[in-house]
Amino acid sequence: MRTTSGRRPGRGPAKGPGRGLQPNALGTFDTTLMAIAGSAPAYSLAATTAVLFGTAGLAGPAALLYCAIPMLGIVLAYARLGRIDVNAGAAYSWVGRTLHPFLGFLSGWALAFAATVFMVAGSLPAGSLTLSLVDPALADDTLLSCAVGAGWFVVMLLIVLGGARLTVRAQLLMSGVEMAILLVFIVGILAHRGHATAFDWSWFGFGHFGGASGFASSALIAAFYYWGWDVTSNLSEETRDSRRTAGLAALVGTGVVFLLFVAFTVAVNVLLSADRIEGSGTNVLAVLGEEVWPGVGGKLLVLAALLSTVATLETTLLQATRSLFAMGRDRTLPSALGTVHRRWNTPWVAIVTVGVVALGMFAAAAMAAGSVTEALQTGVSAIGLQIALYYALAGFAAVVAYRKLVLTSVREFVLGAAWPLLGSAFMLWVFFQSLGELSGAALVVGLGGLAAGVPLMLLYWRKGSSYYRPARLDAVDVLAAAESSGAPHSPRARREEQSLATDF
């Protein structure tokens, strides 16, 4: 059981700065908004549709559907683990306390590294989209896109540094406008009469993938679409009633973005020809918008994609910095990362560290002088590898933590074992199957990034961090302790406990 000071039994005393993150700063509506923004509907569609089409052809909807089913198993695993261990490190803590601390460290490192790579993969299109609103001819200028994207990144860095409440207010504005534009366009798409290709149910089948390896590569890209909903778990120490709220928000957020992803991917297949999709690159939403509403539609969807990109930069920063905060607090990385600002209650050292590293990567991307689309394709594939790994480990961790309960009922077996195991097995299969399909650059970034964490892990293990002597995470023990320590017994108290009790 966690305490408000951030200590866990069996780990020894927390010797960090002694100041935690701001509790009860977020409610159910806030965390649901974060889950949706984390998956970045408009950004994912703008940045990745052409990449997905190049890999899966017309089977993009199938890739999104068949990745969503096992992904829900991972969402369930996160929800169940969050009930018994509220920790800003999320999978880093859960995997370490159930499977092995080394695997837990790699889970936390994979998330932090993937999120930092995404600062470039996300900020580049933010810069490109901003320039396209000013002058479309400037959108393909990689150097200028890097500079403008870096500006957006610094703005989001300062907002995240300012605290959870400021972060939510900025998120509400950006994601609110984005969602309004997307919903208006869904209505416009349904009313649109012209089409380049007739709708075909085979787009939800396996016929367009060209074999298992093609499906694995497509699923890896689809995993990138969904990635980000787990920010709710990284914010759990700052959320009211987080044992219930984080999991619920993740489930609702994943459902919403799934519907948006499939609707717009089908619309792209119907309204745009293959040549227009492949030629549009990261501009596919603008092309779709012009097809639906000539003159204004393209600009509106570019604005939605820009807002979504900036919003997901914010949520990804939250994930990276909260993970590093938890690792610093446990002394599996430098303890300074666990330092919390006295006024803003944010892990300011972790935030500054991510900022410095990401800005260095911006400079490297600018000097590489490749196209925005090439940088995105490499980044998406590399991040997809790391996502698949830490999601798979979290799914296995949930089964181990609840192992004594999974045979107590059919519901427990399906939701607590079968579905999370399906999700984990699928993610591992995608990870290994796609290794032979990815470019050398994607493999270097993806696998090299994981390998870079190993020396740090061994160094802090030898220094004797208590993380490597964990109290095992067992759902039966945690739930029994919670019940004996003050579970409400009156009917009214039980109803209040079962209510959402937040601002949803």
Side-chain angles (χ1 to χ4, degrees):
M1 291 284 292
R2 286 195 55 80
T3 67
T4 55
S5 66
R7 303 177 184 179
R8 285 185 296 275
R11 288 272 181 97
K15 299 178 182 177
R19 186 177 181 86
L21 301 170
Q22 183 178 1
N24 302 320
L26 308 176
T28 305
F29 177 79
D30 304 327
T31 49
T32 302
L33 183 70
M34 288 293 186
I36 295 172
S39 294
Y43 163 77
S44 297
L45 290 163
T48 322
T49 297
V51 178
L52 181 62
F53 186 85
T55 304
L58 294 172
L64 292 167
L65 171 63
Y66 296 123
C67 186
I69 295 171
M71 184 64 77
L72 280 174
I74 305 300
V75 176
L76 288 170
Y78 266 70
R80 290 167 68 82
L81 287 164
R83 291 176 196 162
I84 57 175
D85 183 18
V86 176
N87 192 295
Y92 154 78
S93 174
W94 304 330
V95 174
R97 296 182 64 191
T98 53
L99 303 182
H100 195 280
F102 284 4
L103 295 177
F105 179 93
L106 286 179
S107 296
W109 179 262
L111 170 55
F113 186 87
T116 306
V117 170
F118 179 79
M119 300 310 162
V120 177
S123 297
L124 273 174
S128 179
L129 289 165
T130 303
L131 292 169
S132 72
L133 288 174
V134 178
D135 182 356
L138 298 174
D140 291 327
D141 187 324
T142 304
L143 187 60
L144 196 54
S145 294
C146 276
V148 177
W152 277 118
F153 170 72
V154 170
V155 171
M156 290 301 102
L157 195 76
L158 294 175
I159 289 175
V160 169
L161 185 62
R165 295 189 186 281
L166 177 62
T167 301
V168 165
R169 289 178 186 132
Q171 194 63 249
L172 181 61
L173 175 63
M174 294 182 292
S175 294
V177 176
E178 173 204 356
M179 294 298 293
I181 293 174
L182 292 180
L183 292 175
V184 166
F185 263 89
I186 287 177
V187 175
I189 289 166
L190 292 173
H192 191 74
R193 296 185 180 275
H195 62 265
T197 307
F199 173 81
D200 193 332
W201 282 106
S202 70
W203 297 345
F204 291 92
F206 290 92
H208 296 277
F209 288 115
S213 61
F215 175 65
S217 298
S218 301
L220 193 70
I221 296 168
F224 176 80
Y225 271 80
Y226 293 111
W227 178 52
W229 54 262
D230 47 316
V231 67
T232 61
S233 296
N234 296 109
L235 291 170
S236 59
E237 294 185 33
E238 299 157 86
T239 303
R240 292 195 294 276
D241 193 20
S242 62
R243 295 183 189 278
R244 301 165 59 82
T245 302
L248 173 65
L251 283 167
V252 173
T254 304
V256 169
V257 296
F258 166 72
L259 294 175
L260 288 172
F261 288 152
V262 171
F264 273 87
T265 306
V266 168
V268 167
N269 281 3
V270 170
L271 300 180
L272 304 181
S273 65
D275 290 340
R276 291 184 74 188
I277 297 171
E278 292 176 345
S280 61
T282 59
N283 206 34
V284 67
L285 276 190
V287 175
L288 177 65
E290 285 296 320
E291 181 67 28
V292 177
W293 280 320
V296 69
K299 292 288 186 182
L300 279 175
L301 278 184
V302 168
L303 176 61
L306 173 59
L307 290 170
S308 179
T309 306
V310 176
T312 199
L313 280 177
E314 184 185 79
T315 59
T316 310
L317 268 168
L318 289 170
Q319 285 195 274
T321 56
R322 269 49 177 183
S323 295
L324 291 175
F325 163 76
M327 298 171 87
R329 181 175 60 189
D330 286 344
R331 285 178 162 71
T332 55
L333 285 178
S335 60
L337 293 170
T339 304
V340 174
H341 195 280
R342 290 188 174 277
R343 178 179 177 185
W344 299 319
N345 292 105
T346 52
W348 71 272
V349 176
I351 293 171
V352 171
T353 301
V354 170
V356 170
V357 173
L359 288 173
M361 294 174 70
F362 276 115
M367 289 188 292
S371 71
V372 174
T373 302
E374 288 172 353
L376 267 177
Q377 189 154 9
T378 299
V380 166
S381 298
I383 291 169
L385 279 177
Q386 298 180 353
I387 296 167
L389 178 64
Y390 84 80
Y391 276 173
L393 291 173
F396 288 127
V399 176
V400 172
Y402 281 84
R403 64 192 180 279
K404 297 176 183 176
L405 297 175
V406 295
L407 296 180
T408 58
S409 70
V410 173
R411 179 179 181 276
E412 278 290 333
F413 177 77
V414 173
L415 300 183
W419 211 340
L421 281 177
L422 169 66
S424 293
F426 180 81
M427 292 297 168
L428 282 182
W429 177 79
V430 166
F431 179 90
F432 288 109
Q433 188 71 32
S434 60
L435 290 178
E437 302 295 318
L438 298 181
S439 67
L443 289 174
V444 168
V445 175
L447 298 181
L450 286 173
V454 174
L456 286 170
M457 176 180 69
L458 295 175
L459 173 64
Y460 283 90
W461 170 61
R462 288 181 63 85
K463 285 186 174 183
S465 167
S466 60
Y467 174 82
Y468 295 103
R469 302 185 301 277
R472 306 304 296 178
L473 188 59
D474 187 297
V476 171
D477 294 342
V478 173
L479 295 175
E483 184 175 351
S484 64
S485 65
H489 298 290
S490 71
R492 179 177 178 180
R494 282 196 297 269
R495 285 196 300 272
E496 290 175 354
E497 183 193 48
Q498 291 164 3
S499 71
L500 294 179
T502 69
D503 62 353
F504 186 61

